[in-house]
Amino acid sequence: MVSAPHEAVHRVFQEYPGLFTRLSDVLGLELPPLVSAEPLTVDLTTNEPLERRVDTLLRIETEGDGPFLLVVEAQGKKDPGKTASWPYYVTYLNNRYRLPVLLLVVCQDHATAAWAARPLTIGLPQWPTVITRPLVAGPHNMPVITEVAEVRKDLALATLSAITHADDPDVDAILKTMSTALRDIPETIAEPVIELIAQGLGNRPAAQQWRNLVAVDLSFYTSPLSEEIRDEGRAQGRTEDLLLILDVRGIGITDAVREQITTCGDPGLLRQWLKRAALATTAEEVFGEGTPAGG
């Protein structure tokens, strides 16, 4: 199953195909000025029963050197299977489109980035026939952007940077800078950024901080996504309050009931339970299986 951070990396490039124009400079890749970026079909299946599919494939136009293909892979952990699939992507695409192919791998931790950067060889140890060298973007080389002006200068690059630094000790400052920069940006532009960062952080601790920042710093946004994130923040707060009240009042709950509380994302229902917990004497009264005292 594809994870949310994996999907977010690809959506950044799909939403902003021209992102690689700036990313190549960050990664130290000397290219002529890029003119355009066009998404291509990601299906690499041939007539053989084996299916191969990339997540993002772009045709990049340059000034002077002509076009090339950019394959983007989001890699959350080491995967020995990529030793075979990545060279296949490169050679197949080169054969199909007759264009140079560049493989970009985006990682969110140092160990995976170091693993992904190793050349992949096919052939004899003393004479490799095919060598695939991925270009890797990750916390080791993506900029840590903590200046509002830098975020506004390039929202797409700043978004990808925030995602790749999801486990960085400075992620609090990175996310605070992002939320501050988005305050004065039209909602139609800011909304995809808000969603991509939320998706890219996955279930990491920083994800809750981002939701809190959106709820406070961007409270004036009225998009469904912003409201959803604020609802999640309200639900989290009410969950903690409910568990505290149950504990203080000595109302015991089973593991199943505790899971019922912590997995509930409905702020309205949690508020109802919270009101009942203030008067109830048993867990059954709180969760509707009995009538709460005084209710």
Side-chain angles (χ1 to χ4, degrees), residues 18 30 40 49 55 62 83 94 103 108 128 141 177 218 230 251:
E30 294 186 6
L40 301 176
D55 292 307
T62 69
T83 302
N94 177 257
L103 172 62
Q108 290 181 285
N141 59 3
T177 302
L218 306 175
R230 280 192 284 277
I251 300 176

Side-chain angles (χ1 to χ4, degrees), residues 78 107-116 136 138-141 164-165 167-169:
K78 300 177 183 179
C107 305
Q108 290 181 285
D109 68 88
H110 291 273
T112 304
W115 167 84
V136 178
H140 64 295
N141 59 3
T164 55
H165 287 288
D167 292 320
D168 194 291

Side-chain angles (χ1 to χ4, degrees), residues 36-58:
S36 65
E38 174 191 0
L40 301 176
T41 177
V42 297
D43 191 351
L44 307 187
T45 306
T46 64
N47 292 330
E48 301 174 7
L50 179 65
E51 179 179 339
R52 301 282 191 180
R53 185 179 297 273
V54 297
D55 292 307
T56 298
L57 176 62
L58 302 174

Side-chain angles (χ1 to χ4, degrees), residues 96-168:
R96 177 176 177 179
Y97 291 96
R98 300 298 180 181
L99 291 174
V101 181
L102 178 63
L103 172 62
L104 172 66
V105 181
V106 182
C107 305
Q108 290 181 285
D109 68 88
H110 291 273
T112 304
W115 167 84
R118 296 179 301 174
L120 305 175
T121 61
I122 298 177
L124 300 177
Q126 63 271 36
W127 193 270
T129 304
V130 177
I131 301 177
T132 303
R133 295 181 58 229
L135 180 65
V136 178
H140 64 295
N141 59 3
M142 288 295 290
V144 175
I145 301 178
T146 55
E147 296 292 333
V148 171
E150 289 299 310
V151 172
R152 291 174 177 165
K153 181 180 177 182
D154 194 332
L155 270 177
L157 182 63
T159 300
L160 184 63
S161 179
I163 292 172
T164 55
H165 287 288
D167 292 320
D168 194 291

Side-chain angles (χ1 to χ4, degrees), residues 182-183 185-187 190 194 218-223 226-227 230:
L182 293 175
R183 289 176 187 171
I185 293 176
E187 186 171 0
I194 295 171
L218 306 175
S219 59
F220 50 87
Y221 282 165
T222 58
S223 69
S226 301
E227 289 298 329
R230 280 192 284 277

